[in-house]
Amino acid sequence: MNTFLKPVDRIINTSNSGSFLLLFATVMALIAANSPWGYLYHDLLKSEVTFGFVEKGFELTEPFYLWINDGLMAIFFFHVGLEIKREILDGELSSIRKASLPVIAALGGVLVPIIIYINSISNPDLVRGWGVPMATDIAFSLGILQLFGKKVPIGLKVFLTAFAIVDDLAAVIVIAVFYATDIQLTLVLYAGIILAFMVFLGLKKYFSKFIFFPLSVVVWILFLKSGIHPTIAGVLLALTIPATRRTTLDMFFENIKASLQSFVKEKEHVRSHQILKIEQVHAAVDIRIASEKINSPLQKIEHDLRPWIVFFIMPVFAFANAGVTLTSSTVVDFGLVLPIAIALIGGKFIGITLASWLAVKLKIAYLPKGVNFKYIIGVAFLGGLGFTMSLFIANLAFLDPVLLSSAKIGVILGSFVSGILGYVILRILISKKKSITVS
């Protein structure tokens, strides 16, 4: 596979496994919330947890679900920031030709759902939820697409990955600009000074985890107390990570060759003994160090963090946020449920398809190799899988428990229908393609 597609391929393959775990966590949350022991589920999420040094007067006390939404999700957004930076520097967003179609498609998929939502609500108090249906869940959408394996063009997978990342960037901007409250500029200024120092270190191609991570915690706390959601700190911190190698490719090859000579000279010893000679131990360490240096800090952190994001943070977030109690006495505002669901299903479909069609017809962009507009329609419905980011924005938009529960129901309903429609359309297209090939 082409070198520049390998990061996309890793995202796709990881998302396939992670999407099933995310679905499992969602189902478990719904079961837990609606079981006879549902009160234990809600009590756990509301229980207060304290971190800090109580005896020294510094402590942070938050409900458990806020440690997940403000803390773990800051790491999630940090990873999103790393992905965005990598794609802009050396990926599907690194040139106008590559980026034009996914960027335009993403903008259509953001704007049209917002327009549909605003025009569908009758209660002015619900306007604040306009950001809920604008997001695409990259794990779920790519996971469904991956179910078809090699039957769908790789260009379609790259297109979905790229526009989902642009979609994430739009969501980050919306959260930072429109969902910040009671901003304390002094704390923002302090955080900005620290970030500026970290940017300076990055420009000097210097990175040390012993400096970066303590400063990151300070920046996160400052954002938490400033009124700007602390997850934005995660994105900004990601942008400070250097994307340059700490060694040249030629130097890497020389170091590897020199280290391997130790094994070549004594290969019979290596074959017949479990214990390496001390020279070979040193050579193995040198190979590990050389391998770490050829990777930029940005790529290394993104690679190391991905399993934690996909297999821990996202499922935990889903379990903590998808547990909506549905009983005969549950109050549901269908004036909020339906606009969100319709905006996700119809808005994403219309926005992504129409924007892509206009971009191609006006020759601003070009369809990926092997991809036609019928495939774009299927992927456009998959774009309506808002889930993770939509649930996150819903938590910021609605404080009223009834409205928040209704928003979550709308997100789950809209995402479920969008996923089914996208899967069915792509399944039909693949079946027709197969039958034509056979005949």
Side-chain angles (χ1 to χ4, degrees), residues 177-196:
V177 176
F178 296 100
Y179 289 102
T181 56
D182 300 325
I183 299 175
Q184 297 187 38
L185 293 178
T186 303
L187 297 180
V188 175
L189 177 61
Y190 292 153
I193 293 171
I194 298 174
L195 285 167

Side-chain angles (χ1 to χ4, degrees), residues 1-323:
M1 180 173 287
N2 201 311
T3 303
F4 81 91
L5 287 179
K6 287 183 178 179
V8 175
D9 187 53
R10 283 196 296 270
I11 292 174
I12 291 168
N13 290 327
T14 308
S15 297
N16 185 39
S17 304
S19 60
F20 287 107
L21 187 57
L22 197 58
L23 178 61
F24 176 77
T26 303
V27 172
M28 288 296 101
L30 290 169
I31 292 174
N34 291 279
S35 71
W37 305 278
Y39 67 94
L40 294 176
Y41 168 81
H42 293 292
D43 287 347
L44 171 65
L45 295 178
K46 292 177 182 177
S47 60
E48 291 191 339
V49 180
T50 300
F51 284 101
F53 306 97
V54 179
E55 65 277 4
K56 294 187 178 180
F58 175 77
E59 59 181 283
L60 285 174
T61 301
E62 299 282 352
F64 186 53
Y65 78 93
L66 281 184
W67 281 111
I68 295 171
N69 291 359
D70 294 351
L72 286 183
M73 288 302 285
I75 302 173
F76 169 81
F77 274 77
F78 174 70
H79 192 261
V80 168
L82 294 175
E83 287 183 331
I84 292 170
K85 183 172 181 177
R86 173 178 51 76
E87 289 294 329
I88 292 174
L89 292 176
D90 189 28
E92 290 306 302
L93 306 177
S94 61
S95 69
I96 295 176
R97 182 177 177 84
K98 288 181 181 179
S100 53
L101 186 62
V103 167
I104 293 171
L107 291 177
V110 166
L111 294 175
V112 175
I114 292 173
I115 293 170
I116 289 177
Y117 174 83
I118 291 175
N119 285 278
S120 299
I121 58 173
S122 56
N123 183 354
D125 294 337
L126 304 181
V127 172
R128 186 168 168 76
W130 61 267
V132 175
M134 61 171 280
T136 295
D137 191 296
I138 191 171
F140 264 139
S141 55
L142 275 173
I144 290 177
L145 195 60
Q146 184 64 3
L147 293 175
F148 300 105
K150 296 181 180 179
K151 295 176 183 177
V152 294
I154 184 63
L156 192 66
K157 298 176 182 179
V158 173
F159 169 69
L160 176 56
T161 303
F163 92 65
I165 288 174
V166 176
D167 194 289
D168 281 347
L169 176 59
V172 167
I173 294 171
V174 165
I175 292 168
V177 176
F178 296 100
Y179 289 102
T181 56
D182 300 325
I183 299 175
Q184 297 187 38
L185 293 178
T186 303
L187 297 180
V188 175
L189 177 61
Y190 292 153
I193 293 171
I194 298 174
L195 285 167
F197 173 67
M198 297 171 77
V199 168
F200 172 77
L201 293 179
L203 292 174
K204 292 297 182 180
K205 302 178 182 179
Y206 178 81
F207 176 81
S208 169
K209 60 185 178 182
F210 300 107
I211 294 176
F212 176 81
F213 290 111
L215 289 180
S216 296
V217 174
V218 174
V219 170
W220 178 81
I221 293 173
L222 289 171
F223 268 79
L224 179 68
K225 298 295 184 180
S226 72
I228 299 177
H229 202 274
T231 53
I232 301 303
V235 178
L236 296 177
L237 287 165
L239 301 182
T240 70
I241 302 293
T244 51
R245 297 173 182 152
R246 289 172 288 172
T247 186
T248 64
L249 199 58
D250 290 338
M251 186 66 71
F252 171 72
F253 285 139
E254 287 181 15
N255 289 339
I256 292 294
K257 287 178 182 177
S259 298
L260 286 175
Q261 286 302 315
S262 229
F263 289 90
V264 172
K265 290 177 182 177
E266 299 286 347
K267 59 183 178 182
E268 291 303 324
H269 173 83
V270 176
R271 285 174 180 166
S272 57
H273 294 77
Q274 294 295 321
I275 302 299
L276 298 176
K277 289 186 175 180
I278 189 63
E279 295 85 359
Q280 293 162 344
V281 173
H282 291 159
V285 172
D286 290 341
I287 291 172
R288 178 180 59 80
I289 293 173
S291 299
E292 289 179 353
K293 286 184 177 180
I294 199 64
N295 248 340
S296 68
L298 185 147
Q299 284 183 302
K300 185 179 187 309
I301 295 172
E302 183 188 358
H303 178 270
D304 292 345
L305 203 54
R306 179 170 297 284
W308 289 97
I309 297 294
V310 173
F311 299 114
F312 177 67
I313 291 178
M314 291 180 67
V316 168
F317 173 81
F319 184 77
N321 287 273

